[in-house]
Amino acid sequence: QVQLVESGGGLVQPGGSLRLSCTASGSIFIIAVMGWYRQAPGKQRELVARITSRSTTNYADSVKGRFTISRDNAKNTVYLQMNSLKPEDTAVYYCNALVATPQLNDYWGQGTQVTVSS
């Protein structure tokens, strides 16, 4: 079994910054992909950013140039640096990992609230 624990959410003013972290633990052979998704009230969950084990990244168009995803493979941790935050970034942010144990399975964190408001 694999657990994902997120931290770093909170309340921030428009234009501010936050850094989310997510650490995976458990029976891990390799983490192929780690990523962040978000879900705002009344909306579907959407991809924010993801990063492969070789550090290839993908971003949603809405966050390009403002958010940066990175990972520390030695610590099984993924980070999301969020700058120039906007009210429309308000959502619950979920960590996701595609983990080989050695079978490939998809895991989710419990979610962390990010609120951008003045």
Side-chain angles (χ1 to χ4, degrees):
Q1 194 59 270
V2 174
Q3 296 79 40
L4 301 180
V5 178
E6 302 136 331
S7 62
L11 172 64
V12 64
Q13 292 187 339
S17 298
L18 281 175
R19 188 191 194 210
L20 305 182
S21 300
C22 172
T23 299
S25 62
S27 302
I28 298 170
F29 180 65
I30 189 170
I31 303 177
V33 183
M34 298 190 84
W36 291 94
Y37 289 71
R38 67 186 180 187
Q39 188 167 19
K43 295 188 176 181
Q44 289 189 331
R45 191 173 297 190
E46 62 176 1
L47 173 69
V48 177
R50 61 187 173 196
I51 183 169
T52 71
S53 58
R54 296 185 178 184
S55 296
T56 300
T57 58
N58 294 99
Y59 293 93
D61 287 343
S62 59
V63 306
K64 283 181 181 177
R66 299 188 297 122
F67 290 10
T68 302
I69 191 169
S70 60
R71 63 188 282 178
D72 184 332
N73 290 329
K75 296 181 179 179
N76 291 333
T77 298
V78 64
Y79 306 97
L80 186 68
Q81 178 65 43
M82 305 184 293
N83 298 328
S84 302
L85 282 160
K86 304 176 181 180
E88 50 264 43
D89 294 317
T90 296
V92 177
Y93 283 69
Y94 296 91
C95 178
N96 172 263
L98 184 62
V99 181
T101 62
Q103 301 153 295
L104 274 178
N105 287 294
D106 209 28
Y107 294 92
W108 293 90
Q110 79 283 359
T112 186
Q113 178 70 45
V114 171
T115 302
V116 185
S117 175
S118 55

